[in-house]
Amino acid sequence: MNAARDIRFVTSRDGVQLATARYGSGPPLIKAATWLTHIERATPDSIHEALIKEFAPRFTYVEYDSRGCGLSQRRVDDISVEAWVSDLEAVADAHGREPFTLLAFTCAVGVAVEYAARHPERVRNLILYGGFATSYHSTSHPDPAVRREGDLMVELAALGWGNSSPAFRQVFVSRFLPDATQAQWKAFDELQRATATPDVAVRQLRAMYGMNVKEAAARVRCPTLVLHPKDDQMVRFEQGRRLASLIPGARFVPLQGRNHIPFPQEPAWAAFVRETREFLGMPAAFQTDDAVQLTARQCEVLRRIAFGESDKQIAQALHLSPRTVEMHAARALAALGCRTRAEAVRRATELRLLGA
């Protein structure tokens, strides 16, 4: 990881110690904490590393571990939406009084919405990915089958989170990342165990499933971008669309994909990068020419695209699957800050990355 990391601890309102990590310099951008984070375990090719690489060259990018998780204080009395909002308040206050961009994924989206509604003077822009306004236990007229699904997820966490067998935890993995490889599933399962104890996992789930930010969403006044995968297996697409409809003036962007959190190789990640840069008024590729880097495989894929080969033809020539070719192409687009493959080929050619 190229960006320098500055780890510090912040004290929340009730005395809980929160671990924060800061990268880069420039206008502040804070990522609200989710339950499965560990600021010391940003593995290569993970979204955590990708977010740092994306934002640290242009912003002071700040992330932190949720209470009870990662490097933050593990033994805590209060795990609730209100406590999570207080934690975000503490982290934001510790990094100055300048208005900042607030970024949130999945269960942290509701926390970010609540914070933005309470502190309109602090939030310059709001970016929300894969979130919801209400959950299993907080809808006004819950479907019994839907509520039972939420109860079952809590029961599975209570039974299997600390178990040496991954069988129970892989229920979560399969919902989070249905299109992941076996290696990615294993890494995510290891992250689950390292991030939180079984007790904390259960308490986190109960707090998430009781979240309701419908009223707060209506009070958000900053520019807001809402993104959601169309075939998300964890939070249904309709929930993301509904959240966007509750926030005045929010822009809603449907994304292709089934994974709840995108891998950097996915088209959904490339689309997230493109849409976020446009929303924040950033140039399509804010890196200097010398900073743009492609892997040898990405360059080879782009070269073959330039010659008009299809993904299937490229896959056969390079002994890859068409899905892997698609991922290499998507990652090249993200690195080059391009919208289309043709634009990426042109950009890579201008930078002399494709050779003769």
Side-chain angles (χ1 to χ4, degrees):
M1 190 178 300
N2 295 326
R5 177 177 58 180
D6 180 12
I7 296 180
R8 304 192 183 195
F9 291 87
V10 170
T11 304
S12 193
R13 184 182 305 167
D14 60 355
V16 170
Q17 297 292 307
L18 305 170
T20 72
R22 182 174 62 185
Y23 305 83
S25 61
L29 188 154
I30 297 176
K31 176 180 173 288
T34 60
W35 69 320
L36 291 175
T37 59
H38 197 306
I39 59 177
E40 275 202 322
R41 296 175 69 97
T43 57
D45 293 330
S46 70
I47 189 174
H48 306 294
E49 184 184 59
L51 287 168
I52 294 166
K53 288 182 176 179
E54 170 64 18
F55 293 116
R58 183 69 175 245
F59 296 90
T60 298
Y61 176 71
V62 177
E63 61 179 1
Y64 62 100
D65 286 334
S66 182
R67 56 176 53 216
C69 298
L71 290 185
S72 290
Q73 185 173 322
R74 290 296 188 106
R75 298 184 64 179
V76 294
D77 294 327
D78 186 9
I79 294 181
S80 63
V81 175
E82 188 60 37
W84 291 334
V85 175
S86 294
D87 293 346
L88 178 52
E89 289 171 338
V91 172
D93 290 347
H95 289 85
R97 303 303 302 175
E98 180 182 354
F100 61 91
T101 295
L102 180 54
L103 170 67
F105 286 81
T106 70
C107 58
V109 164
V111 176
V113 167
E114 190 68 48
Y115 180 92
R118 296 184 190 184
H119 304 281
E121 77 287 353
R122 296 302 316 276
V123 183
R124 185 187 303 275
N125 300 290
L126 188 59
I127 303 170
L128 309 174
Y129 188 107
F132 52 89
T134 60
S135 191
Y136 293 112
H137 299 161
S138 62
T139 55
S140 55
H141 301 289
D143 182 327
V146 171
R147 186 176 182 91
R148 176 56 185 158
E149 181 180 345
D151 293 337
L152 178 60
M153 298 295 278
V154 173
E155 290 174 19
L156 287 171
L159 287 169
W161 203 268
N163 197 305
S164 59
S165 170
F168 288 100
R169 293 186 306 278
Q170 285 196 352
V171 173
F172 291 90
V173 179
S174 65
R175 296 285 299 279
F176 264 84
L177 306 169
D179 288 336
T181 64
Q182 287 297 319
Q184 290 167 333
W185 274 32
K186 182 179 178 181
F188 188 78
D189 180 56
E190 292 173 352
L191 177 64
Q192 288 183 109
R193 295 190 71 190
T195 299
T197 64
D199 171 66
V200 167
V202 169
R203 293 163 66 196
Q204 293 258 11
L205 283 174
R206 285 176 175 156
M208 285 182 227
Y209 293 168
M211 188 178 293
N212 186 327
V213 295
K214 288 195 300 183
E215 293 184 3
R219 301 198 310 273
V220 172
R221 292 295 177 264
C222 63
T224 303
L225 176 66
V226 181
L227 308 101
H228 207 103
K230 289 183 178 179
D231 298 308
D232 191 337
Q233 301 294 291
M234 181 62 72
V235 177
R236 296 188 305 277
F237 178 74
E238 176 59 25
Q239 291 176 278
R241 188 208 64 78
R242 184 165 179 265
L243 171 65
S245 73
L246 294 170
I247 300 174
R251 180 168 179 246
F252 182 59
V253 179
L255 302 176
Q256 298 296 330
R258 297 200 305 158
N259 289 334
H260 187 49
I261 296 292
F263 287 106
Q265 304 91 342
E266 288 185 65
W269 170 256
F272 167 80
V273 169
R274 181 180 66 248
E275 296 291 344
T276 300
R277 289 179 180 179
E278 181 177 334
F279 175 70
L280 295 177
M282 298 159 55
F286 61 77
Q287 304 100 323
T288 63
D289 288 354
D290 291 340
V292 176
Q293 296 182 352
L294 299 179
T295 66
R297 184 65 81 189
Q298 289 164 3
C299 289
E300 179 62 21
V301 167
L302 284 184
R303 272 194 292 269
R304 291 180 177 275
I305 289 173
F307 285 115
E309 294 183 22
S310 67
D311 285 2
K312 185 176 181 180
Q313 291 172 322
I314 297 171
Q316 291 174 342
L318 300 181
H319 305 289
L320 302 171
S321 70
R323 172 69 172 167
T324 301
V325 171
E326 182 184 5
M327 288 183 175
H328 283 307
R331 195 158 193 187
L333 262 67
L336 293 164
C338 296
R339 293 173 178 268
T340 66
R341 291 185 175 193
E343 184 182 346
V345 168
R346 184 170 62 253
R347 173 71 171 157
T349 303
E350 291 172 352
L351 297 177
R352 299 182 179 180
L353 297 176
L354 303 186

